[in-house]
Amino acid sequence: AIDAAVYIITGKDSSSGDGADDAEMDDDDGDSDDDDFLGDGNQNQGDDVSSKNPILFANEMLRKSGSLPDYSRAYASTLSAILLAYKPHGDGDQRQVASAPCHRCIAYLQKRASSLSGIIDSLCCLSPKASIALSCPESYLVPGLLKVIADLSFGSNLDAASPSVRDEILTSLKTLTSLTHENSVACEQLVRPYNWDNSLP
């Protein structure tokens, strides 16, 4: 389902690496202003752009459907799962072997997080309204990204230089940059104090 969403929203086929016809999209951009389509200009011109560019049309319909916060919540829950996967959970000597992180689990979760990050980055690039919807406080995405960056960077039992940890930190930073760009709703959440009880050791 996530791969299908990536293809619809970004125009990129994760199985082949091919994207939408860039030349066609460039031609559409030259014909009219994207801001018009996104509701900042003449509505008739916006409808004309949406009929020519399926990527813009799909993104705008997705925003109007009210489902964008679902993507934020899915990403936030994936980030929480990643932190839990890294966190040792041994319970005495008899479970010492089980305390090691499950690398296959982490690899799956990071692939999921990367796909959701690409979806959110694409949505943020196309409309400021999408950025606001994606960063609603109820989704816990912004604090989730901050927690991943902090815990994976400063967790005492983690090697922040390892490829998997480094990639997850960079992905989270990229998504946080996209969300906070000209978005006061997300920026306000950056300076809020958070009381996290379940941080990594």
Side-chain angles (χ1 to χ4, degrees), residues 15 28 49 56 63 65-67 76 85 90 97 119 124 128 134 137 143 147-148 152-153 162 166 171 173-174 186:
S15 63
D28 291 339
V49 174
L56 290 177
R63 182 183 67 81
S65 73
S67 63
V97 176
I119 289 173
C124 290
L134 288 164
K147 183 170 174 60
V148 164
L152 295 187
S153 297
S162 70
R166 184 180 64 244
T171 299
L173 283 169
K174 180 181 69 173

Side-chain angles (χ1 to χ4, degrees), residues 78-98:
T78 303
L79 294 174
S80 297
I82 288 173
L83 290 180
L84 288 173
Y86 273 115
K87 185 175 182 179
H89 44 269
D91 187 18
D93 294 338
Q94 67 273 21
R95 294 189 57 189
Q96 192 66 33
V97 176

Side-chain angles (χ1 to χ4, degrees), residues 147 192-198:
K147 183 170 174 60
R192 289 181 185 175
Y194 296 103
N195 183 20
W196 290 316
D197 295 328
N198 298 319

Side-chain angles (χ1 to χ4, degrees), residues 9-29:
I9 294 170
T10 68
K12 297 178 180 178
D13 187 350
S14 59
S15 63
S16 66
D18 295 334
D21 190 337
D22 294 335
E24 181 180 344
M25 293 186 71
D26 290 341
D27 291 341
D28 291 339
D29 292 342

